mmCIF file of all heavy atoms in Angstrom:
data_model
loop_
_atom_site.group_PDB
_atom_site.id
_atom_site.type_symbol
_atom_site.label_atom_id
_atom_site.label_comp_id
_atom_site.label_asym_id
_atom_site.label_seq_id
_atom_site.Cartn_x
_atom_site.Cartn_y
_atom_site.Cartn_z
ATOM 1 N N PHE A 247 -8.976 -159.633 13.477
ATOM 2 C CA PHE A 247 -10.199 -159.991 14.144
ATOM 3 C C PHE A 247 -11.105 -160.809 13.205
ATOM 4 O O PHE A 247 -11.673 -161.674 13.567
ATOM 5 C CB PHE A 247 -10.910 -158.703 14.733
ATOM 6 C CG PHE A 247 -12.285 -158.920 15.156
ATOM 7 C CD1 PHE A 247 -12.509 -159.385 16.438
ATOM 8 C CD2 PHE A 247 -13.464 -158.623 14.367
ATOM 9 C CE1 PHE A 247 -13.926 -159.682 16.900
ATOM 10 C CE2 PHE A 247 -14.648 -158.774 14.778
ATOM 11 C CZ PHE A 247 -14.963 -159.302 16.029
ATOM 12 N N LEU A 255 -16.006 -162.938 24.096
ATOM 13 C CA LEU A 255 -16.370 -161.550 24.519
ATOM 14 C C LEU A 255 -15.212 -160.712 24.637
ATOM 15 O O LEU A 255 -15.228 -159.560 24.354
ATOM 16 C CB LEU A 255 -17.188 -161.679 25.803
ATOM 17 C CG LEU A 255 -17.690 -160.356 26.355
ATOM 18 C CD1 LEU A 255 -18.610 -159.669 25.387
ATOM 19 C CD2 LEU A 255 -18.500 -160.628 27.721
ATOM 20 N N TRP A 258 -14.230 -159.488 21.209
ATOM 21 C CA TRP A 258 -15.129 -158.451 20.757
ATOM 22 C C TRP A 258 -14.847 -157.083 21.504
ATOM 23 O O TRP A 258 -14.812 -156.090 20.888
ATOM 24 C CB TRP A 258 -16.566 -158.875 21.081
ATOM 25 C CG TRP A 258 -17.119 -159.861 20.024
ATOM 26 C CD1 TRP A 258 -17.371 -161.154 20.128
ATOM 27 C CD2 TRP A 258 -17.606 -159.436 18.838
ATOM 28 N NE1 TRP A 258 -17.786 -161.599 19.020
ATOM 29 C CE2 TRP A 258 -18.047 -160.641 18.162
ATOM 30 C CE3 TRP A 258 -17.724 -158.245 18.049
ATOM 31 C CZ2 TRP A 258 -18.529 -160.697 16.826
ATOM 32 C CZ3 TRP A 258 -18.220 -158.333 16.677
ATOM 33 C CH2 TRP A 258 -18.709 -159.491 16.113
ATOM 34 N N ILE A 262 -13.812 -153.629 19.687
ATOM 35 C CA ILE A 262 -14.791 -152.384 19.902
ATOM 36 C C ILE A 262 -14.073 -151.255 20.618
ATOM 37 O O ILE A 262 -14.268 -150.114 20.211
ATOM 38 C CB ILE A 262 -16.001 -152.951 20.792
ATOM 39 C CG1 ILE A 262 -16.883 -153.820 19.959
ATOM 40 C CG2 ILE A 262 -16.857 -151.729 21.351
ATOM 41 C CD1 ILE A 262 -17.878 -154.635 20.818
ATOM 42 N N ALA A 274 -17.596 -148.458 16.235
ATOM 43 C CA ALA A 274 -17.571 -149.231 17.460
ATOM 44 C C ALA A 274 -18.999 -149.613 17.842
ATOM 45 O O ALA A 274 -19.334 -150.831 18.226
ATOM 46 C CB ALA A 274 -17.033 -148.353 18.607
ATOM 47 N N LEU A 275 -19.984 -148.739 17.735
ATOM 48 C CA LEU A 275 -21.414 -149.062 18.016
ATOM 49 C C LEU A 275 -21.924 -150.078 17.002
ATOM 50 O O LEU A 275 -22.771 -150.921 17.499
ATOM 51 C CB LEU A 275 -22.228 -147.806 18.120
ATOM 52 C CG LEU A 275 -21.884 -146.769 19.223
ATOM 53 C CD1 LEU A 275 -22.589 -145.480 18.964
ATOM 54 C CD2 LEU A 275 -22.151 -147.425 20.568
ATOM 55 N N GLU A 276 -21.490 -149.955 15.795
ATOM 56 C CA GLU A 276 -22.047 -150.965 14.834
ATOM 57 C C GLU A 276 -21.576 -152.366 15.130
ATOM 58 O O GLU A 276 -22.206 -153.359 14.973
ATOM 59 C CB GLU A 276 -21.557 -150.576 13.458
ATOM 60 C CG GLU A 276 -22.220 -149.386 12.859
ATOM 61 C CD GLU A 276 -21.463 -148.835 11.501
ATOM 62 O OE1 GLU A 276 -20.468 -149.499 11.085
ATOM 63 O OE2 GLU A 276 -21.891 -147.750 10.997
ATOM 64 N N LEU A 277 -20.292 -152.491 15.671
ATOM 65 C CA LEU A 277 -19.771 -153.725 16.001
ATOM 66 C C LEU A 277 -20.533 -154.267 17.279
ATOM 67 O O LEU A 277 -20.590 -155.581 17.313
ATOM 68 C CB LEU A 277 -18.268 -153.631 16.306
ATOM 69 C CG LEU A 277 -17.324 -153.595 15.180
ATOM 70 C CD1 LEU A 277 -15.923 -153.185 15.563
ATOM 71 C CD2 LEU A 277 -17.288 -154.889 14.451
ATOM 72 N N VAL A 278 -21.037 -153.483 18.146
ATOM 73 C CA VAL A 278 -21.834 -153.969 19.279
ATOM 74 C C VAL A 278 -23.052 -154.632 18.777
ATOM 75 O O VAL A 278 -23.410 -155.840 19.222
ATOM 76 C CB VAL A 278 -22.128 -152.855 20.205
ATOM 77 C CG1 VAL A 278 -23.113 -153.357 21.280
ATOM 78 C CG2 VAL A 278 -20.868 -152.272 20.936
ATOM 79 N N LEU A 279 -23.662 -154.035 17.737
ATOM 80 C CA LEU A 279 -24.863 -154.704 17.139
ATOM 81 C C LEU A 279 -24.577 -155.933 16.467
ATOM 82 O O LEU A 279 -25.209 -157.002 16.560
ATOM 83 C CB LEU A 279 -25.486 -153.676 16.200
ATOM 84 C CG LEU A 279 -26.074 -152.383 16.738
ATOM 85 C CD1 LEU A 279 -26.528 -151.422 15.625
ATOM 86 C CD2 LEU A 279 -27.167 -152.663 17.818
ATOM 87 N N ARG A 280 -23.360 -156.026 15.756
ATOM 88 C CA ARG A 280 -23.035 -157.216 15.008
ATOM 89 C C ARG A 280 -22.726 -158.312 16.021
ATOM 90 O O ARG A 280 -22.885 -159.537 15.761
ATOM 91 C CB ARG A 280 -21.730 -156.849 14.073
ATOM 92 C CG ARG A 280 -21.242 -158.078 13.395
ATOM 93 C CD ARG A 280 -20.036 -157.767 12.579
ATOM 94 N NE ARG A 280 -19.328 -158.983 12.264
ATOM 95 C CZ ARG A 280 -18.058 -159.102 11.746
ATOM 96 N NH1 ARG A 280 -17.450 -157.964 11.438
ATOM 97 N NH2 ARG A 280 -17.482 -160.152 11.460
ATOM 98 N N MET A 281 -22.055 -157.892 17.161
ATOM 99 C CA MET A 281 -21.711 -158.995 18.125
ATOM 100 C C MET A 281 -22.989 -159.652 18.666
ATOM 101 O O MET A 281 -22.956 -160.815 18.826
ATOM 102 C CB MET A 281 -21.040 -158.235 19.223
ATOM 103 C CG MET A 281 -20.638 -159.164 20.500
ATOM 104 S SD MET A 281 -19.716 -158.207 21.780
ATOM 105 C CE MET A 281 -21.151 -157.545 22.648
ATOM 106 N N GLN A 282 -24.093 -158.794 18.837
ATOM 107 C CA GLN A 282 -25.243 -159.426 19.281
ATOM 108 C C GLN A 282 -25.892 -160.344 18.283
ATOM 109 O O GLN A 282 -26.549 -161.345 18.489
ATOM 110 C CB GLN A 282 -26.246 -158.352 19.807
ATOM 111 C CG GLN A 282 -25.684 -157.604 21.057
ATOM 112 C CD GLN A 282 -26.627 -156.547 21.450
ATOM 113 O OE1 GLN A 282 -26.940 -155.663 20.634
ATOM 114 N NE2 GLN A 282 -26.988 -156.508 22.706
ATOM 115 N N GLU A 283 -25.810 -159.829 16.982
ATOM 116 C CA GLU A 283 -26.361 -160.684 15.904
ATOM 117 C C GLU A 283 -25.636 -162.004 15.738
ATOM 118 O O GLU A 283 -26.248 -162.999 15.352
ATOM 119 C CB GLU A 283 -26.180 -159.915 14.555
ATOM 120 C CG GLU A 283 -27.171 -158.641 14.498
ATOM 121 C CD GLU A 283 -26.847 -157.786 13.310
ATOM 122 O OE1 GLU A 283 -25.848 -158.162 12.549
ATOM 123 O OE2 GLU A 283 -27.562 -156.755 13.067
ATOM 124 N N GLU A 284 -24.364 -162.042 16.082
ATOM 125 C CA GLU A 284 -23.613 -163.215 16.021
ATOM 126 C C GLU A 284 -23.709 -164.166 17.250
ATOM 127 O O GLU A 284 -23.005 -165.099 17.451
ATOM 128 C CB GLU A 284 -22.092 -162.942 15.705
ATOM 129 C CG GLU A 284 -21.879 -162.341 14.345
ATOM 130 C CD GLU A 284 -20.443 -162.271 13.893
ATOM 131 O OE1 GLU A 284 -19.639 -162.862 14.590
ATOM 132 O OE2 GLU A 284 -20.246 -161.602 12.816
ATOM 133 N N GLY A 285 -24.594 -163.759 18.112
ATOM 134 C CA GLY A 285 -24.865 -164.634 19.314
ATOM 135 C C GLY A 285 -24.202 -164.267 20.543
ATOM 136 O O GLY A 285 -24.500 -164.954 21.638
ATOM 137 N N CYS A 286 -23.356 -163.339 20.540
ATOM 138 C CA CYS A 286 -22.668 -162.958 21.874
ATOM 139 C C CYS A 286 -23.543 -161.802 22.431
ATOM 140 O O CYS A 286 -23.195 -160.614 22.312
ATOM 141 C CB CYS A 286 -21.251 -162.446 21.545
ATOM 142 S SG CYS A 286 -20.265 -162.266 23.065
ATOM 143 N N ASN A 287 -24.637 -162.166 23.043
ATOM 144 C CA ASN A 287 -25.676 -161.289 23.519
ATOM 145 C C ASN A 287 -25.283 -160.530 24.714
ATOM 146 O O ASN A 287 -25.823 -159.311 25.056
ATOM 147 C CB ASN A 287 -26.980 -161.991 23.784
ATOM 148 C CG ASN A 287 -27.507 -162.469 22.427
ATOM 149 O OD1 ASN A 287 -27.542 -161.670 21.463
ATOM 150 N ND2 ASN A 287 -28.062 -163.670 22.390
ATOM 151 N N ARG A 288 -24.526 -161.116 25.636
ATOM 152 C CA ARG A 288 -24.361 -160.477 27.033
ATOM 153 C C ARG A 288 -23.188 -159.586 27.022
ATOM 154 O O ARG A 288 -21.985 -159.923 26.799
ATOM 155 C CB ARG A 288 -24.067 -161.575 28.078
ATOM 156 C CG ARG A 288 -24.008 -160.932 29.425
ATOM 157 C CD ARG A 288 -24.139 -161.974 30.521
ATOM 158 N NE ARG A 288 -23.946 -161.402 31.880
ATOM 159 C CZ ARG A 288 -24.843 -160.660 32.532
ATOM 160 N NH1 ARG A 288 -26.020 -160.452 31.909
ATOM 161 N NH2 ARG A 288 -24.573 -160.062 33.686
ATOM 162 N N LEU A 289 -23.427 -158.263 27.111
ATOM 163 C CA LEU A 289 -22.412 -157.298 27.338
ATOM 164 C C LEU A 289 -21.868 -157.264 28.835
ATOM 165 O O LEU A 289 -22.683 -157.362 29.572
ATOM 166 C CB LEU A 289 -22.896 -155.951 26.922
ATOM 167 C CG LEU A 289 -23.047 -155.539 25.470
ATOM 168 C CD1 LEU A 289 -23.994 -156.448 24.712
ATOM 169 C CD2 LEU A 289 -23.380 -154.004 25.327
ATOM 170 N N ASP A 290 -20.507 -157.215 28.977
ATOM 171 C CA ASP A 290 -20.075 -157.126 30.282
ATOM 172 C C ASP A 290 -19.706 -155.673 30.593
ATOM 173 O O ASP A 290 -19.749 -154.843 29.831
ATOM 174 C CB ASP A 290 -18.872 -158.152 30.543
ATOM 175 C CG ASP A 290 -17.624 -157.864 29.763
ATOM 176 O OD1 ASP A 290 -17.595 -156.912 29.044
ATOM 177 O OD2 ASP A 290 -16.652 -158.636 29.793
ATOM 178 N N THR A 293 -17.270 -154.190 28.019
ATOM 179 C CA THR A 293 -18.023 -153.657 26.800
ATOM 180 C C THR A 293 -18.690 -152.308 27.124
ATOM 181 O O THR A 293 -18.586 -151.305 26.209
ATOM 182 C CB THR A 293 -19.080 -154.670 26.383
ATOM 183 O OG1 THR A 293 -18.676 -155.988 26.665
ATOM 184 C CG2 THR A 293 -19.448 -154.432 24.938
ATOM 185 N N ILE A 294 -19.353 -152.197 28.170
ATOM 186 C CA ILE A 294 -20.092 -150.986 28.567
ATOM 187 C C ILE A 294 -19.122 -149.775 28.710
ATOM 188 O O ILE A 294 -19.414 -148.823 28.068
ATOM 189 C CB ILE A 294 -20.725 -151.238 29.900
ATOM 190 C CG1 ILE A 294 -21.850 -152.259 29.885
ATOM 191 C CG2 ILE A 294 -21.507 -149.871 30.362
ATOM 192 C CD1 ILE A 294 -22.908 -152.065 28.953
ATOM 193 N N ILE A 297 -18.068 -148.643 25.142
ATOM 194 C CA ILE A 297 -19.016 -148.153 24.238
ATOM 195 C C ILE A 297 -19.677 -146.770 24.662
ATOM 196 O O ILE A 297 -20.135 -145.930 23.968
ATOM 197 C CB ILE A 297 -20.090 -149.032 23.704
ATOM 198 C CG1 ILE A 297 -20.977 -149.684 24.820
ATOM 199 C CG2 ILE A 297 -19.426 -150.162 22.851
ATOM 200 C CD1 ILE A 297 -22.028 -150.490 24.474
ATOM 201 N N MET A 309 -28.723 -143.557 22.274
ATOM 202 C CA MET A 309 -28.016 -144.733 22.352
ATOM 203 C C MET A 309 -27.434 -144.935 23.838
ATOM 204 O O MET A 309 -27.496 -146.025 24.454
ATOM 205 C CB MET A 309 -26.912 -144.875 21.323
ATOM 206 C CG MET A 309 -26.072 -146.137 21.540
ATOM 207 S SD MET A 309 -26.925 -147.733 21.018
ATOM 208 C CE MET A 309 -26.973 -147.590 19.390
ATOM 209 N N LEU A 312 -30.205 -146.032 26.078
ATOM 210 C CA LEU A 312 -30.437 -147.489 25.887
ATOM 211 C C LEU A 312 -29.432 -148.345 26.670
ATOM 212 O O LEU A 312 -29.763 -149.334 27.389
ATOM 213 C CB LEU A 312 -30.445 -147.874 24.524
ATOM 214 C CG LEU A 312 -31.640 -147.417 23.595
ATOM 215 C CD1 LEU A 312 -31.374 -147.664 22.111
ATOM 216 C CD2 LEU A 312 -32.907 -148.092 24.071
ATOM 217 N N ILE A 313 -28.139 -147.878 26.553
ATOM 218 C CA ILE A 313 -27.141 -148.695 27.237
ATOM 219 C C ILE A 313 -27.268 -148.460 28.896
ATOM 220 O O ILE A 313 -27.030 -149.474 29.583
ATOM 221 C CB ILE A 313 -25.704 -148.115 26.898
ATOM 222 C CG1 ILE A 313 -25.527 -148.568 25.336
ATOM 223 C CG2 ILE A 313 -24.573 -148.759 27.678
ATOM 224 C CD1 ILE A 313 -24.275 -147.824 24.756
ATOM 225 N N TYR A 316 -29.769 -150.912 29.990
ATOM 226 C CA TYR A 316 -29.046 -152.295 30.075
ATOM 227 C C TYR A 316 -28.161 -152.407 31.361
ATOM 228 O O TYR A 316 -28.280 -153.413 32.047
ATOM 229 C CB TYR A 316 -28.147 -152.518 28.829
ATOM 230 C CG TYR A 316 -27.574 -153.873 28.794
ATOM 231 C CD1 TYR A 316 -28.028 -154.881 28.219
ATOM 232 C CD2 TYR A 316 -26.173 -154.025 29.405
ATOM 233 C CE1 TYR A 316 -27.446 -156.183 28.254
ATOM 234 C CE2 TYR A 316 -25.571 -155.233 29.387
ATOM 235 C CZ TYR A 316 -26.207 -156.304 28.805
ATOM 236 O OH TYR A 316 -25.519 -157.600 28.810
ATOM 237 N N ARG A 319 -30.682 -152.864 34.214
ATOM 238 C CA ARG A 319 -31.337 -154.152 34.308
ATOM 239 C C ARG A 319 -30.285 -155.360 34.716
ATOM 240 O O ARG A 319 -30.790 -156.268 35.316
ATOM 241 C CB ARG A 319 -31.842 -154.584 32.883
ATOM 242 C CG ARG A 319 -33.123 -153.718 32.581
ATOM 243 C CD ARG A 319 -33.798 -154.227 31.269
ATOM 244 N NE ARG A 319 -32.877 -154.211 30.239
ATOM 245 C CZ ARG A 319 -32.805 -153.172 29.369
ATOM 246 N NH1 ARG A 319 -33.363 -152.080 29.555
ATOM 247 N NH2 ARG A 319 -31.979 -153.369 28.344
ATOM 248 N N ASN A 320 -29.058 -155.146 34.401
ATOM 249 C CA ASN A 320 -28.101 -156.184 34.647
ATOM 250 C C ASN A 320 -27.191 -155.867 35.859
ATOM 251 O O ASN A 320 -26.198 -156.590 36.130
ATOM 252 C CB ASN A 320 -27.112 -156.377 33.446
ATOM 253 C CG ASN A 320 -27.882 -157.045 32.306
ATOM 254 O OD1 ASN A 320 -27.962 -158.255 32.197
ATOM 255 N ND2 ASN A 320 -28.428 -156.250 31.411
#
Side-chain angles (χ1 to χ4, degrees):
F247 169 82
L255 183 58
W258 280 103
I262 290 167
L275 294 172
E276 287 169 4
L277 280 170
V278 174
L279 297 175
R280 181 182 157 188
M281 179 179 83
Q282 293 179 307
E283 287 169 2
E284 292 190 12
C286 192
N287 291 316
R288 183 165 177 81
L289 282 63
D290 66 1
T293 325
I294 300 298
I297 59 176
M309 178 65 79
L312 287 172
I313 296 167
Y316 180 89
R319 290 191 300 274
N320 289 273

